[in-house]
Amino acid sequence: MDQEDFVREMRAGGANLDARGHFGFKVDLCAPMLGNNQETQGVISLGGITRHPKFEKRLLSMMADLGAMSLMNRRLMDEQRNKANSDGLTGLITKRYLQELLGEEIHKSEVQNAPVSLFIFDLDHFKKLNDTYGHLTGDRVLKDTAEIVRKTIRVGDISARWGGEEFLLVLPGTPKEGAWRAAEKVREALARHAFQDDDGKPIGKVTLSGGVAAFPGDGRTQSELVGAADEALYHAKRSGRNQVLMAQPKYFSD
């Protein structure tokens, strides 16, 4: 179709299209890239044509179909990748994928001489909660915890289900003291939340114990950093639970 055909068809479909603002050059031919549901995903436009082959519209239509197919395939690949990297219960990213991202963040921290911190926590007495209320309620608590984390952390922070009732957050550009304050916000939000069992009845307060560590003072490798945060977590549990403690520095840092 030519430009006038395209504008006419779009307006007939209810689209508010200003042709002068939409096309930055004189368009001789254009074709919509249509998805499976016939929704327009994009437009291929050609201008400055001096010669017109016999089947030019058919050729452009074929190009648009191939472009639409490529866009759909890319979208499907992204969806499958997101599913593979997401925990099925909580929707947070998986431990495996977080380890990959954490390695990237540590490398970036080294290159840019910028801080990066970890916050690892688990839910206090979670086994007792499961035994008392059942695994369906336990799953509901994990889902609610993940939602609390999503609503509390900043854009750009990374959160994952580390395993069981354990969660790990990566806070790029955040020094240890700032990470501790962020962790406290998560702990306080969790303690305030009105958790319920699978039938919607209240189950009482759910708390967390956590540890915070920062690169490079608490660890210069991924395993050292996670280990330092984990050690602080267990110290928080031994000291009474429902608290977040900072790791003791292992290295001097500038």
Side-chain angles (χ1 to χ4, degrees), residues 14-40:
N16 182 16
L17 179 65
D18 179 0
R20 290 171 300 177
H22 183 78
F23 296 103
F25 60 94
K26 183 181 184 302
V27 175
D28 295 309
L29 292 172
C30 59
M33 295 186 288
L34 301 176
N36 288 332
N37 57 0
Q38 296 301 298
E39 180 182 351
T40 302

Side-chain angles (χ1 to χ4, degrees), residues 90-104:
T90 64
L92 301 180
I93 66 174
T94 61
K95 178 178 181 178
R96 178 194 59 79
Y97 188 43
L98 183 131
Q99 288 174 320
E100 179 182 327
L101 296 179
L102 177 55
E104 294 174 1

Side-chain angles (χ1 to χ4, degrees), residues 36 71-82:
N36 288 332
L71 289 174
M72 286 189 292
N73 287 339
R74 176 58 185 270
R75 187 174 296 118
L76 287 172
M77 288 176 61
D78 288 343
E79 289 175 358
Q80 292 302 315
R81 187 181 298 110
N82 289 335

